[in-house]
Amino acid sequence: MRIMVTGGAGFIGSMLCRTLVASGDVDVINIDALTYAANLDSLREIEHNARYKFHQIDICDATSIAEVLRLYSPDAIVHLAAESHVDRSITG
């Protein structure tokens, strides 16, 4: 199975990427714009795994997202790219 995760460098997204790769039977395509909420250090343990791919893309970039979808044809997409932190919701 091939799963695309948006926001995969965030707190929840990185845990999901690590868990899916550790399952041994899932290929993970991580899409993240690397904004303030991202932390690539949380993905160090899987960054060189053959079942893991990372692309720095803003999900609003329809052309780049379409290319990734064409390239990998994921079976599922888990959308976690939201920047919905409580602190941000108070001021934004």
Side-chain angles (χ1 to χ4, degrees):
M1 175 174 258
R2 188 172 294 138
I3 298 178
M4 184 168 103
V5 178
T6 67
F11 180 74
I12 295 171
S14 63
M15 180 62 184
L16 178 61
C17 288
R18 292 191 312 269
T19 300
L20 291 172
V21 169
S23 76
D25 59 352
V26 178
D27 291 336
V28 175
I29 304 98
N30 177 3
I31 306 297
D32 201 295
L34 298 182
T35 62
Y36 76 94
N39 181 1
L40 286 178
D41 287 338
S42 61
L43 295 160
R44 295 281 179 235
E45 68 186 70
I46 62 170
E47 70 181 344
H48 298 296
N49 191 300
R51 290 188 321 277
Y52 174 76
K53 303 291 184 222
F54 172 74
H55 294 273
Q56 183 178 353
I57 300 172
D58 186 317
I59 60 168
C60 295
D61 181 348
T63 302
S64 294
I65 293 296
E67 178 63 20
V68 169
L69 291 171
R70 184 197 63 74
L71 182 63
Y72 296 105
S73 299
D75 298 299
I77 299 171
V78 179
H79 177 56
L80 300 173
E83 291 191 356
S84 59
H85 294 83
V86 173
D87 292 346
R88 286 279 176 141
S89 67
I90 293 168
T91 60

